[in-house]
Amino acid sequence: MVLAMTQESRQLPPERRELLEREFVHNITHPERKFIDMSRRSVDICRWRCSTCGHSWDARFGWRNRVYNPTNCPECFKRRNRAPGAGEALTDIDPDLAKQFRKNLSRPDRSPDNLRSMSHDKCEWECPQGHLWTATVANRSNGRGCPKCSGHGRSLFECKVAMLVEAASGLDVELDHRLRLPGRNADRFDLFIPALSLLIDLDPQWSHHTAASLSRDTAKTRATLAAGRQYTKVRARGLPPIPIDGFPQHEAGPGVDPLAWADAVGLALRLYDVAWVALTPTDVDAALTKASRLWQAAVAGPDITALDVAPYLAEEFTGNITNPGRGLDRMPPGCNDVCGWRCLTCGCGHTWEGPLHSRTLSGRGCRKCGYRKTGADNSRPEPGKSLADVNRHLAAQLIEVIEHPGWTAHDLLPSSNKRCRWRCPAVDCTHEWIAPSSRRSGQSKDGGCPQCARKRTTAGRIRPQPGKSLLDRFPRIGNELVDIAAHPGWTAANLRPSSTITCTWKCSMPGCPGTWTATPDQRTRRAGTGTPCPVCRPPRNKRSGNPKLR
């Protein structure tokens, strides 16, 4: 619920809202509703027409208004990986990028001649410095370069411009300034002058020449101005200006001469009454030398790397997902890059993804091993609190802990829910059964065996109440009882008159040798007269059942 409220509170960028309003055709679920009459999270199905390719499709209104993973034109999405048409291949759009292509790992038959610039195929690339790495075509077209030459968010060109601006203005200039604006992820600004709270972006031709880059630059500019920040741009001559009225932007070039771009930044600083000093050739050389040292330090990586802090992670590290090709020796310990890992500590082989800082600084490891270790630690008792210490009589009945071979009563908590095998302590019972120690700890010391419990329950049901035994109610019949085979040692005082236990009887008549078997119920069912001795009883009429002499 909180997440839904958070996402609802985020506002779409104005250009995204304008795009949806242009592509909206009509509401299919409720035709009377217009675009401005629906909430962002509406589930109404609407008809849309793509402003790029003209394709029409149906989609829910809320799906297209999502801040994360919005639903766009399905036909344009499919075309990304289709064979390009005339003038749409990577070779035609960006020939410099096509020269760095080496091979296609996703589809080996595709090359820059039949790959679109926004294809998701994973390919191998080689930078002018000879570094090899893998990245998708879309990532390369969006401006991602060689990870070993990236300078961790900086470029040599930006370093040169920054040092020249410092030398000419006397102000401190920060490189690669990160700022999180409302409703957006963290944005990167090329230069930042703290004394003026001024953000500056440099837009050279090679990374800002496409329509997509213009759309991204416009959205970033609108968000920065809406946040009330001081912001200006220097764009390469020939690029279309940012379509925002009153926004201060300057031109530089053609080319990427650092001195020309620094002079363009100087024009922007003059609007803030900053004194600009013309640099001598000696000053320029000193500034460029300082920039080269700064760039080399950035390319060399951090002073203390993740590999220095946690060298044991080298074996479990499988790759950098956020920045492919960037290894542990090129990331600081607190880096936020999401990396892949494979557990080798206990041989479980579990793979997972997680940010680098969670392993180097927080010390987190394999989750599966963590769950197993936590469960085992919680199951082990503290000294003096094991089953063997608390209940020795019960511990003597333990045979084994089924799920943990080798465990004894010293490794088991009295309240544990682990399944155990037990043996009855009774001399005349060798029954074994399975139950957790938590179920047995609440019973008496001489209890627990289910078979003995059934015997006790049965015996309790057949024993008579005081004054209601066979001997009490039928003394003559009780005195004729000789033996109870099922219960040796029992007498007539231990039997109910209605008992169905087979007993041996001896006739009490003088001189009669009659001995027979019958149940107490058979002997007492005739209201106390009893079944007579089969030797001395009178014969019966089989038809009527009445006694009659033959």
Side-chain angles (χ1 to χ4, degrees), residues 522 526 529-533 537-550:
Q522 292 173 341
R526 293 185 178 274
T529 60
T531 303
C533 171
R537 70 183 177 183
R540 291 177 177 273
N541 187 334
K542 295 183 178 180
R543 179 178 298 178
S544 62
N546 293 326
K548 185 172 84 170
L549 295 175
R550 300 189 176 199

Side-chain angles (χ1 to χ4, degrees), residues 57-283:
W57 79 101
D58 299 337
R60 289 188 178 183
F61 191 83
W63 290 356
R64 296 221 62 197
N65 280 270
R66 288 183 295 190
V67 176
Y68 301 105
N69 300 323
T71 302
N72 293 315
C73 175
E75 190 66 23
C76 292
F77 181 80
K78 293 177 182 178
R79 288 181 59 190
R80 288 184 179 180
N81 284 337
R82 288 180 181 174
E88 296 179 343
L90 181 63
T91 306
D92 302 324
I93 296 178
D94 198 338
D96 294 333
L97 181 59
K99 293 178 181 179
Q100 299 182 15
F101 176 87
R102 290 300 172 262
K103 60 182 176 181
N104 192 322
L105 302 178
S106 301
R107 292 182 288 183
D109 58 320
R110 292 289 184 94
S111 64
D113 296 330
N114 49 16
L115 274 176
R116 292 178 176 271
S117 60
M118 298 306 293
S119 172
H120 290 169
D121 285 6
K122 183 174 289 188
C123 304
E124 185 177 82
W125 310 86
E126 183 178 0
C127 74
Q129 302 297 325
H131 302 141
L132 292 174
W133 80 101
T134 59
T136 62
V137 181
N139 285 343
R140 295 297 330 267
S141 298
N142 287 333
R144 179 168 293 177
C146 173
K148 293 184 179 181
C149 300
S150 63
H152 304 279
R154 306 174 182 180
S155 69
L156 179 59
F157 166 70
E158 294 170 1
C159 290
K160 291 180 178 180
V161 174
M163 296 302 100
L164 289 171
V165 171
E166 277 192 355
S169 64
L171 300 175
D172 293 333
V173 180
E174 294 182 7
L175 284 162
D176 189 33
H177 185 74
R178 305 298 174 102
L179 181 64
R180 190 178 184 89
L181 301 172
R184 292 173 61 87
N185 294 328
D187 285 301
R188 171 187 177 275
F189 297 88
D190 297 330
L191 308 179
F192 175 64
I193 302 179
L196 305 177
S197 296
L198 177 63
L199 300 167
I200 304 174
D201 267 335
L202 309 177
D203 296 348
Q205 178 74 27
W206 75 77
S207 58
H208 296 267
H209 62 283
T210 63
S213 62
L214 178 62
S215 177
R216 289 194 301 270
D217 293 340
T218 304
K220 178 181 176 181
T221 303
R222 291 184 186 276
T224 307
L225 297 178
R229 304 305 297 260
Q230 299 288 342
Y231 183 47
T232 188
K233 272 183 174 292
V234 179
R235 293 175 63 81
R237 187 171 288 110
L239 292 179
I242 302 298
I244 298 178
D245 294 337
F247 173 65
Q249 46 191 318
H250 306 271
E251 288 187 347
V256 286
D257 179 17
L259 190 57
W261 283 75
D263 290 338
V265 174
L267 294 176
L269 295 182
R270 289 188 180 95
L271 299 177
Y272 294 89
D273 298 330
V274 175
W276 188 263
V277 179
L279 300 177
T280 64
T282 304
D283 297 334

